[in-house]
Amino acid sequence: MTSHDSEPAPSEVPHGGTAFGMMLRSLRRSAQLTLEELSQASGVSVRALGDMERGRSRGPQRRTVDALAVALGLDDEERERLQRLADAGRERGGAPAPPYLLRTVPDFTGREQELAELEALATGTRTRGVVLFGPGGQGKTTLAAEALRRLSGFFPDARVCVQLHGMSDSPLPAGEALVLLLTALGHPPERIPVGLAAREALYRATLASRRALIVLDDAADEAQTRPLLPDAEGSLVLVTSRSPLAGLEGVRRIRLGGLSGGESATLLERILGTPRTDGQSEAITRLTELCGHLPLALRIVGNRLSSRPNWTPARLAGQLADEGRRLSGLVAGDLAVRSALALSYGQLTDAHRLLLRRLALVPGHDTGPDLAAVLTGDDPLTTEDSLDLLVDRGLLEETAPGRYAPHDLVRLFAREQLRDEETESATLDVRLRMADWLMRSASAAGRRFEAPGAPEPWPGEPAAFAPGSAEEAEEWLTAERSNWAGALSHMFAADRHQEILHASRTLYWFSDRWCQWPEWRTLFSHGARSAAALGDRVAEAHQLNCLAWAHSVGASRYEEVEQLARQALELASETGDLDQQAWSWSYISGACMGLGRPAEAAKAAARATRLFETTGDSTGRAVSQRVLGTALRESGHGEEALALHRDLLGTRPADVPGLSEYVEALLRCETARDLLALKRWPEAVEAFRAVGTPSVHTGIDRLRAQTSIGLATALEHVGERAEAREHYIRARDQFTAFGDTASAAEATAGIERLGSID
């Protein structure tokens, strides 16, 4: 939408006045000095002082300002503000401008929902103010400008804008802002009261009889803004701020986030023009992602490309892909993402800056207060308050209740500050402390799903997360999964191999509850490498088998599955570990099935079954027999497959501990597929209808999809074409959702084969 959160020049007002002149008059009257008395005290002539106050002399020299500051008894802050206004007056020159500081942009894009809400507030609400808030660079100022343009017809009496300089070192005091506002509303400067309370009363009385739209751009806090809000209906104040100004009463708050992907691309296309973007959709999309859909970053990218006619969007995308150079690349003239972020960062306390930059160490996208507290050493309650403050300052987002994440560009900025402000050794210590805490906490949570007596996590400080129940443990492992998985590489680099194996073993049984998580591949890969580093071949075989399982159920990467399982088989054979040999053959059989080699799969499954019978592992035996039945069916032995699957289905769960609700549903689906292969269509229909849909296992999505397409096929053959088509559509959508394009295509073919059904 917008270019950026602009910071226009200090407000100018009608009637010949300037911000410098009004501030000088206000200071003189506060000091109870006449023009003659100030002239005598400062050495500046009465005529010159009059010209300054009336705006005829727009920007006196520094020596004149210094003399006035001494005569008025100004402190350093007031002197600096007066000098800044004088400097701005010299830079602008020319005739005074009307008080409409906010400029619209011709390529304004997006924000239609926010504008619709603002229009609704303007036309039929008693809301006296709206706070547009969000991080720097989200385009709050330009949205306010666009709102002023679109809503001007609803406010015929006045439209006034004042820049409050909230992010500067010297925010405009409320009293001075009231002078600007009252003058813009038609009050002669010489009749504006001296005291803040009197100015505020006059301002509100003025708005009570008018329909005016007041824009207060870049507000610092509630104290600066509260005196500038009206009391009566009719007028509306639109405030932009990086803070939600939560202490203000009776206002509506609208938070601005990034643009959508489509809006981001449209903004770039409008900046660059059609000739520069035709055929560049992929590169444009990549640029919007690298910008994090931040309007300021998008504006910079568009401006950089506009100033370099020979550059393609793909070339700039290639440059920005390097995270270490991205912020340096997001600069165009006086626009810079880093500068916008530095303004917010500079206004934080030391403790909050420490927290923000150390959040860059978090491996995953977001974090909770407990993990954030580990980074700083504070207690979690204090840390949660600090995280909420960073949300208010627009530097973090609360992605879900109790979960906090920085924008991608904020994360890069925080990483830069971490590098510049903390030593490398201190950063390494914090990172390892975080990784150790995550691994200990993951192990403590994983124990909730182990048999009683599972070993406790290793000791360490701060204390690990201690779940009070299996539900709490599962919630933590789910929320922090990208973080504890990301901690593995840091633990491995620190040679913490025993701890990695400990975590892998305690999470072994929990992994079956969420078998499609990619984090299991990360965990068991590190487990196998750590076992190899320790020379523990028994553990390495087990971890390799676990990794083969993760590649199978989580990604269907059957070539990797077979390779890993055969490596595990070799190690298990050398150590005489029959249990891991059995599991290796079981995973080899599944890989052969996935690779279209059912005869080999049947042989491998039969070997696994015999080994499981030897070791007494009834769960493993049930798993390998199920695969054996599937392999028999695919090899053309449907009757044998049906008999085997029905026999397994009839086994009591007490005899086969692994025959859970999910496994039972899986076996029912297999028997239905056996009937399908035998072309026993009516029986197949009934069998598929009896599969059931347990919801406690992540593999259920694939099971539901297989059930849908199987039922559709059976229904098609018994002549129930309308219902068959419904199930084909469902199967197509289900397979598409988890990326099985081949099966989705098969379902689509069924839909097309049946055509439209009346």
Side-chain angles (χ1 to χ4, degrees):
M1 176 206 78
T2 75
S3 58
H4 63 302
D5 289 334
S6 61
E7 188 170 329
S11 178
E12 296 181 334
V13 297
H15 310 295
T18 65
F20 173 83
M22 285 188 296
M23 181 177 181
L24 177 59
R25 180 185 297 108
S26 176
L27 292 170
R28 176 177 62 78
R29 296 176 70 188
S30 295
Q32 298 183 335
L33 295 175
T34 65
L35 283 174
E36 290 77 9
E37 289 169 337
L38 179 57
S39 173
Q40 185 176 2
S42 65
V44 180
S45 71
V46 172
R47 180 175 179 178
L49 290 172
D51 286 346
M52 291 177 200
E53 290 193 1
R54 286 190 294 272
R56 295 175 182 172
S57 175
R58 303 173 58 79
Q61 299 298 315
R62 179 172 292 275
R63 62 179 179 274
T64 302
V65 175
D66 288 341
L68 292 171
V70 171
L72 292 166
L74 304 184
D75 59 25
D76 290 343
E77 182 179 339
E78 290 172 323
R79 180 195 295 258
E80 180 183 347
R81 187 179 304 114
L82 190 64
Q83 184 62 62
R84 173 165 57 81
L85 294 177
D87 293 342
R90 286 197 303 277
E91 292 169 2
R92 291 192 306 277
Y100 306 111
L101 300 175
L102 303 183
R103 67 182 186 278
T104 58
V105 292
D107 45 35
F108 185 93
T109 302
R111 305 301 192 203
E112 293 304 322
Q113 180 177 343
E114 291 86 351
L115 286 166
E117 185 172 354
L118 289 172
E119 182 172 346
L121 292 171
T123 55
T125 180
R126 297 186 177 184
T127 300
R128 60 175 181 162
V130 181
V131 179
L132 295 174
F133 73 100
Q138 294 290 7
K140 300 179 288 294
T141 297
T142 308
L143 174 57
E146 184 67 14
L148 184 67
R149 184 184 71 81
R150 296 195 189 187
L151 302 179
S152 60
F154 299 110
F155 299 96
D157 297 327
R159 282 85 58 200
V160 182
C161 308
V162 172
Q163 167 60 249
L164 298 181
H165 297 287
M167 294 304 296
S168 72
D169 293 334
S170 302
L172 187 69
E176 293 181 30
L178 284 167
V179 172
L180 297 173
L181 289 165
L182 286 167
T183 305
L185 291 169
H187 290 276
E190 65 274 9
R191 296 183 182 177
I192 295 175
V194 174
L196 175 62
R199 289 176 181 174
E200 187 177 343
L202 178 60
Y203 170 68
R204 289 180 172 166
T206 301
L207 292 182
S209 59
R210 304 189 187 187
R211 281 193 61 79
L213 177 59
I214 310 295
V215 178
L216 306 175
D217 190 34
D218 190 21
D221 52 33
E222 292 87 344
Q224 183 193 37
T225 311
R226 188 175 285 111
L228 311 181
L229 296 177
D231 278 334
E233 299 176 33
S235 293
L236 180 68
V237 170
L238 181 58
V239 185
T240 73
S241 178
R242 298 196 183 191
S243 164
L245 305 179
L248 293 182
E249 310 86 357
V251 300
R252 183 75 62 88
R253 292 172 179 83
I254 301 176
R255 182 184 181 113
L256 295 191
L259 300 178
S260 69
E263 290 169 342
S264 298
T266 298
L267 177 56
L268 284 182
E269 290 163 359
R270 288 178 176 175
I271 295 171
L272 295 172
T274 302
R276 293 288 301 278
T277 57
D278 273 353
Q280 295 286 322
S281 60
E282 185 175 341
I284 292 292
T285 298
R286 179 60 178 149
L287 280 174
T288 65
E289 293 168 350
L290 292 169
C291 290
H293 306 291
L294 183 72
L296 171 58
L298 293 164
R299 173 69 61 186
I300 289 170
V301 162
N303 289 359
R304 285 194 66 188
L305 288 171
S306 294
S307 63
R308 293 167 174 82
N310 295 326
W311 281 32
T312 64
R315 176 176 175 176
L316 184 54
Q319 287 189 0
L320 297 179
D322 182 352
E323 288 189 348
R325 299 173 56 196
R326 191 173 305 162
L327 288 179
S328 297
L330 290 174
V331 177
D334 62 350
L335 302 182
V337 170
R338 184 185 284 113
S339 299
L341 297 176
L343 280 174
S344 295
Y345 184 74
Q347 294 196 334
L348 300 176
T349 65
D350 289 344
H352 293 140
R353 284 197 291 266
L354 176 72
L355 174 59
L356 180 65
R357 63 178 179 261
R358 288 189 175 178
L359 285 174
L361 296 173
V362 174
H365 174 67
D366 60 8
T367 183
D370 289 345
L371 173 55
V374 173
L375 297 171
T376 62
D378 285 335
D379 65 273
L381 290 178
T382 299
T383 301
E384 187 168 16
D385 290 340
S386 297
L387 291 166
D388 286 334
L389 181 140
L390 292 175
V391 170
D392 286 346
R393 297 295 177 88
L395 292 166
L396 295 181
E397 290 184 274
E398 191 171 9
T399 55
R403 304 296 301 177
Y404 302 86
H407 186 279
D408 289 345
L409 297 178
V410 174
R411 190 188 302 274
L412 294 180
F413 177 81
R415 190 179 299 167
E416 288 185 350
Q417 303 313 304
L418 185 70
R419 181 194 62 213
D420 294 342
E421 298 182 38
E422 301 198 38
T423 65
E424 185 176 351
S425 61
T427 299
L428 287 173
D429 287 345
V430 173
R431 181 181 282 119
L432 186 56
R433 182 174 73 213
M434 171 193 69
D436 180 77
W437 181 84
L438 282 165
M439 286 291 93
R440 284 186 287 114
S441 298
S443 294
R447 288 183 71 251
R448 285 284 178 175
F449 305 93
E450 291 282 309
E456 294 276 356
W458 59 98
E461 290 294 334
F465 166 73
S469 64
E471 291 75 18
E472 190 176 346
E474 184 165 18
E475 181 180 351
W476 187 92
L477 286 167
T478 302
E480 300 288 358
R481 63 179 176 142
S482 60
N483 290 323
W484 56 254
L488 286 160
S489 60
H490 304 310
M491 295 289 281
F492 188 87
D495 295 328
R496 302 287 295 277
H497 303 303
Q498 290 286 6
E499 289 86 347
I500 289 175
L501 281 177
H502 185 287
S504 179
R505 287 162 177 161
T506 53
L507 289 168
Y508 174 74
W509 285 108
F510 176 74
S511 65
D512 193 53
R513 298 174 67 87
W514 297 96
C515 59
Q516 291 181 316
W517 283 4
E519 285 78 10
W520 302 127
R521 298 193 289 278
T522 303
L523 174 64
F524 297 131
S525 175
H526 279 89
R529 293 168 61 201
S530 286
L534 294 170
D536 188 340
R537 296 159 75 194
V538 173
E540 187 179 1
H542 177 235
Q543 293 296 305
L544 285 169
N545 271 330
C546 291
L547 185 56
W549 167 85
H551 276 289
S552 177
V553 300
S556 302
R557 298 175 180 171
Y558 297 115
E559 291 181 355
E560 290 94 328
V561 173
E562 183 175 14
Q563 181 181 6
L564 290 165
R566 290 194 182 279
Q567 290 176 13
L569 178 62
E570 183 177 351
L571 287 170
S573 299
E574 291 175 3
T575 59
D577 188 336
L578 295 180
D579 185 58
Q580 290 307 314
Q581 289 179 46
W583 281 110
S584 295
W585 281 115
S586 179
Y587 296 133
I588 290 170
S589 69
C592 289
M593 281 298 303
L595 294 170
R597 290 149 44 194
E600 291 180 58
K603 292 178 181 178
R607 295 189 70 168
T609 299
R610 290 193 295 272
L611 285 167
F612 281 128
E613 288 172 347
T614 301
T615 62
D617 186 341
S618 55
T619 299
R621 179 176 178 273
V623 170
S624 62
Q625 283 188 306
R626 181 181 66 81
V627 178
L628 175 59
T630 304
L632 289 170
R633 180 182 69 233
E634 298 302 319
S635 301
H637 304 284
E639 292 291 354
E640 293 178 53
L642 180 61
L644 181 55
H645 285 144
R646 280 180 167 171
D647 182 59
L648 283 171
L649 193 57
T651 307
R652 288 171 137 339
D655 299 328
V656 182
L659 195 62
S660 63
E661 182 186 24
Y662 169 71
V663 174
E664 181 176 349
L666 200 60
L667 286 170
R668 289 187 183 279
C669 185
E670 291 292 356
T671 59
R673 294 173 75 183
D674 295 336
L675 291 166
L676 205 63
L678 293 169
K679 300 183 180 181
R680 291 158 64 173
W681 313 119
E683 292 177 73
V685 169
E686 296 307 313
F688 277 118
R689 292 192 193 280
V691 168
T693 55
S695 57
V696 295
H697 196 284
T698 53
I700 198 61
D701 290 338
R702 185 172 295 277
L703 175 60
R704 285 172 174 157
Q706 290 171 340
T707 301
S708 294
I709 197 168
L711 180 55
T713 304
L715 287 167
E716 181 181 359
H717 281 87
V718 298
E720 298 291 340
R721 294 169 57 84
E723 188 180 358
R725 191 172 189 277
E726 290 177 9
H727 285 283
Y728 275 131
I729 292 172
R730 185 177 304 168
R732 178 200 60 193
D733 294 343
Q734 290 166 332
F735 282 122
T736 300
F738 55 77
D740 189 339
T741 54
S743 298
E746 181 184 348
T748 300
I751 297 169
E752 294 173 349
R753 190 167 54 248
L754 291 175
S756 60
I757 305 296
D758 295 329

